Amino acid sequence: MDLADLTVAHGLSAGQARRQPPWTADGHPRPVNNPQGRRAALWDREQVLAYIAGEPVPALPDVDDPDDLLDAEEAAALVGLAQATWLSYLNRPRPLAPAPDATIRGMPHWRRSTLTGWQANRVGQGVGGGRPSRSGLSTDELEERVRTLLTEAAATGRWLSARAVSRELGISPTTASKLVASVRGESG
């Protein structure tokens, strides 16, 4: 529940809730996201409704729920990034992070399942990450193209230089040198 939901659950108007915030009363459930200065405090619905009904307030679950909503700070911590890095992923022309599942009081939130799914499929070091080549081909595709060029050249008795491979594939001479060395190292 966000602040608006909490206010309605207590049967208060926004003005009444501001004058006498019910969440500051003894025994009232605390926000589940530990907002400390954040605008988007969230409360557990079951806890709040039990408190309002005068029933014992249930403990929060011990197990993380895939549907839990996490704010940017919590999302960054879950995926192992600094909050500033996470936010920079969101503010790129082509965002590297998933779109928020909800916006609560102007702040983006993601379901835990969205983040774990994104993290499991995230491109990273050693799996095709980094700046794409000018040719638009992956490293494996480039390596296969270099292998084909070198095989065709050898079949006609020609020696193909890394510079020629660079021009042919539209890749940097450094990348071409590395690929040619790798392919020639396989056969030698």
Side-chain angles (χ1 to χ4, degrees):
M1 302 178 95
D2 67 7
L3 184 59
D5 296 331
L6 185 72
T7 300
V8 169
H10 279 281
L12 302 172
S13 70
Q16 290 170 318
R18 275 193 302 274
R19 285 189 300 277
Q20 282 191 317
W23 53 89
T24 61
D26 286 340
H28 194 283
R30 307 298 313 147
V32 294
N33 64 340
N34 192 21
Q36 297 181 344
R38 295 188 228 161
R39 299 176 310 173
L42 297 174
W43 287 265
D44 181 78
R45 183 174 304 282
E46 289 180 38
Q47 285 187 329
V48 170
L49 295 178
Y51 174 81
I52 292 170
E55 299 170 359
V57 175
L60 290 173
D62 292 335
V63 180
D64 292 332
D65 189 308
D67 286 333
D68 287 343
L69 284 173
L70 307 178
D71 64 17
E73 182 179 338
E74 295 163 324
L78 179 68
V79 300
L81 296 172
Q83 186 176 357
T85 302
W86 178 253
L87 293 173
S88 77
Y89 279 17
L90 297 171
N91 294 324
R92 293 176 182 227
R94 290 179 43 205
L96 298 176
D101 293 306
T103 301
I104 300 171
R105 296 182 59 84
M107 296 182 70
H109 286 74
W110 295 263
R111 294 196 189 295
R112 187 179 304 278
S113 59
T114 299
L115 297 169
T116 55
W118 173 80
Q119 189 174 27
N121 296 310
R122 183 177 169 203
V123 174
Q125 186 176 8
V127 289
R131 184 177 299 190
S133 68
R134 288 185 302 197
S135 67
L137 301 173
S138 71
T139 302
D140 290 341
E141 292 168 324
L142 283 172
E143 197 168 281
E144 188 56 38
R145 295 282 303 274
V146 169
R147 191 174 290 108
T148 301
L149 287 173
L150 294 178
T151 301
E152 289 171 355
T156 61
R158 293 181 306 130
W159 176 263
L160 203 56
S161 70
R163 172 99 31 215
V165 169
S166 166
R167 283 191 300 269
E168 178 73 24
L169 298 180
I171 59 177
S172 75
T174 303
T175 300
S177 294
K178 290 177 184 177
L179 289 168
V180 167
S182 174
V183 170
R184 286 189 174 140
E186 290 173 0
S187 60

